[in-house]
């Protein structure tokens, strides 16, 4: 199935100062994350329903003699400032694809999305960098070409380009839009420490293997399938129908690595969350609320219960990587 990038903004409405371009990109939660067996390349076949929420990182790119990454924000110390940074790799990949030898850029990342949190913050930074450098360097790649590059950088990067609500297949990089109506209100509980995505997938495999040996599971993980009840509920726009259908195969692994997350999930449920789930590989817990006021009540309750490092409220779906009006500096 072909990826769809029709509505990715590759050009700002007003041509910005060519000396700097700022793009923001959103965090995501997975409304469904069904994980199949490991593939030969080590990745897992999956079917997921991505949902972009209103928690954004902002990336500014500026011309420079050499590549550099500078990060600000609460989790800045945890983000590498070298070529292992996914945003740096995104800029390099775009320069290579466009035949720009020795092109360099200074990448300034203003982080609000927590790091190693299951919210695809690094992927958001990479997607924003692709769009920003495409503009700064006037490389003129189409949205589809940026999407191809994004898939090579990481499983969640193509979705950070498009945003909205979308079904991901393959290892997550093959996207089709999902028909969803309405606005969904979320409370997000950020964990005390991050989780490594690779470690969570490996733990998922281990737990499944142990269950198979114990005879709890008739057969090993099969090819994952899209939840049609969830798709129907999303079309209805009714969060009360969507909430009970949220599902994440990585949740048992995240809970086994951070057992305290159970307390956070329980606290959200006690306060009437329509759905309570670990986001992606965790440790962020996402709580679907009835409306904006309910999301605030859940966030207050989570803070009061002392079950997480910090809380945030967000709505979804929101658009993917987008130019920030006035974000370009002189
Ligand atoms: O694609 P990305 O670099 O974000 O993936 C990080 C890690 O998560 C991979 O190295 C792999 O261990 C795991 N992963 C996986 N199957 C997927 C996506 C990610 O096993 N579909």
């Amino acid at each position: 199935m072909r990826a769809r990038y029709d509505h990715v903004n590759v050009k700002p409405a007003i041509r910005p100062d060519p000396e700097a371009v700022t793009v923001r990109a959103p965090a995501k939660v997975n409304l469904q994350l069904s994980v199949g067996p490991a593939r030969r390349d080590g990745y897992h076949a999956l079917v997921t329903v991505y949902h972009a929420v209103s928690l954004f990182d902002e990336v500014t790119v500026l011309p420079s003699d050499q590549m550099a990454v500078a990060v600000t924000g609460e989790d800045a110390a945890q983000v590498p400032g070298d070529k292992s940074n996914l945003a740096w790799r995104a800029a390099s990949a775009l320069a290579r694809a466009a035949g720009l030898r020795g092109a360099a850029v200074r990448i300034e990342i203003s982080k609000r999305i927590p790091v190693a949190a299951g919210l695809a913050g690094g992927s958001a930074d990479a997607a924003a960098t692709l769009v920003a450098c495409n503009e700064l360097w006037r490389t003129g790649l189409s949205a589809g070409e940026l999407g191809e590059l994004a898939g090579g950088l990481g499983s969640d990067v193509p979705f950070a380009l498009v945003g909205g609500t979308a079904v991901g297949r393959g290892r997550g990089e093959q996207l089709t839009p999902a028909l969803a109506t309405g606005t969904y209100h979320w409370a997000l509980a950020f964990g005390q420490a991050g989780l490594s995505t690779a470690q969570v997938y490996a733990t998922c495999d281990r737990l499944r293997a142990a269950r198979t040996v114990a005879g709890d599971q008739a057969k090993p993980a099969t090819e994952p399938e899209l939840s049609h009840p969830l798709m129907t509920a999303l079309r209805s726009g009714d969060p009360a129908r969507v909430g009970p259908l949220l599902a994440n195969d990585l949740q048992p692994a995240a809970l086994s690595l951070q057992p305290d997350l159970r307390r956070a999930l329980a606290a959200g449920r006690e306060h009437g969350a329509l759905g309570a789930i670990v986001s992606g590989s965790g440790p962020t817990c996402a709580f679907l609320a009835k409306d904006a006021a309910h999301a605030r009540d859940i966030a207050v309750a989570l803070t009061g219960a002392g079950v997480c490092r910090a809380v945030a409220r967000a709505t979804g779906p929101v658009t993917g990587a987008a130019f920030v009006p006035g974000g370009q500096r002189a």
Side-chain angles (χ1 to χ4, degrees):
M1 205 169 292
R2 283 194 58 76
R4 300 278 298 277
Y5 298 97
D6 308 353
H7 56 287
V8 174
N9 293 317
V10 285
K11 289 269 175 226
I14 303 167
R15 183 71 177 85
D17 180 342
E19 291 303 302
V21 180
T22 300
V23 173
R24 73 177 195 181
K28 59 82 187 162
V29 297
N30 301 78
L31 308 181
Q32 177 193 352
L33 181 47
S34 296
V35 179
R39 310 189 311 197
R40 277 160 176 253
D41 63 3
Y43 283 91
H44 293 70
L46 56 82
V47 172
T48 188
V49 179
Y50 290 112
H51 181 73
V53 294
S54 59
L55 176 66
F56 301 95
D57 279 358
E58 245 179 53
V59 174
T60 298
V61 296
L62 305 105
S64 175
D65 295 341
Q66 53 183 10
M67 289 291 297
V69 176
V71 187
T72 53
E74 199 173 328
D75 283 355
Q78 296 174 51
V79 183
D82 60 15
K83 65 181 176 199
S84 68
N85 187 302
L86 202 55
W88 179 312
R89 283 164 44 203
S92 300
L94 177 62
R96 259 196 318 277
L100 295 179
R101 285 234 183 112
V105 73
R106 175 179 167 82
I107 303 168
E108 296 181 351
I109 303 173
S110 171
K111 277 211 84 62
R112 289 191 52 223
I113 306 172
V115 173
L119 295 167
S123 301
D125 301 343
T129 302
L130 284 177
V131 173
C133 287
N134 194 40
E135 179 59 22
L136 183 76
W137 292 333
R138 297 175 182 255
T139 31
L141 267 66
S142 67
E145 289 167 327
L146 291 182
E148 291 293 318
L149 275 183
L153 290 164
S155 308
D156 296 337
V157 184
F159 177 70
L161 277 179
V162 300
T165 305
V167 177
R169 291 191 172 80
R171 57 184 170 84
E173 86 288 12
Q174 298 166 18
L175 299 177
T176 45
L179 277 176
T181 60
T183 296
Y184 296 86
H185 296 269
W186 298 90
L188 303 173
F190 303 141
Q192 301 288 355
L195 277 175
S196 141
T197 305
Q199 196 189 355
V200 174
Y201 272 98
T203 303
C204 175
D205 288 342
R206 254 200 317 278
L207 291 177
R208 284 176 166 176
R211 275 210 310 272
T212 306
V213 168
D216 289 355
Q217 194 175 286
K219 49 188 183 213
T222 50
E223 287 308 313
E225 283 177 20
L226 182 63
S227 162
H228 291 288
L230 174 63
M231 300 312 282
T232 305
L234 285 169
R235 280 198 296 276
S236 79
D238 180 359
R241 290 181 62 184
V242 171
L245 297 171
L246 301 177
N248 180 1
D249 281 356
L250 292 181
Q251 185 159 312
L255 293 179
S256 87
L257 290 165
Q258 291 195 8
D260 278 357
L261 296 179
R262 288 177 204 280
R263 289 177 51 225
L265 291 172
R269 283 193 201 104
E270 267 166 37
H271 286 85
L274 302 171
I277 197 165
V278 170
S279 175
S281 55
T284 302
C285 294
F287 302 93
L288 184 57
K290 294 173 196 148
D291 51 30
H294 187 213
R296 190 190 55 228
D297 292 346
I298 295 172
V300 169
L302 292 167
T303 307
V307 290
C308 53
R309 169 166 67 94
V311 296
R313 284 176 293 144
T315 59
V318 297
T319 188
F323 294 98
V324 178
Q328 301 79 17
R329 294 163 308 164

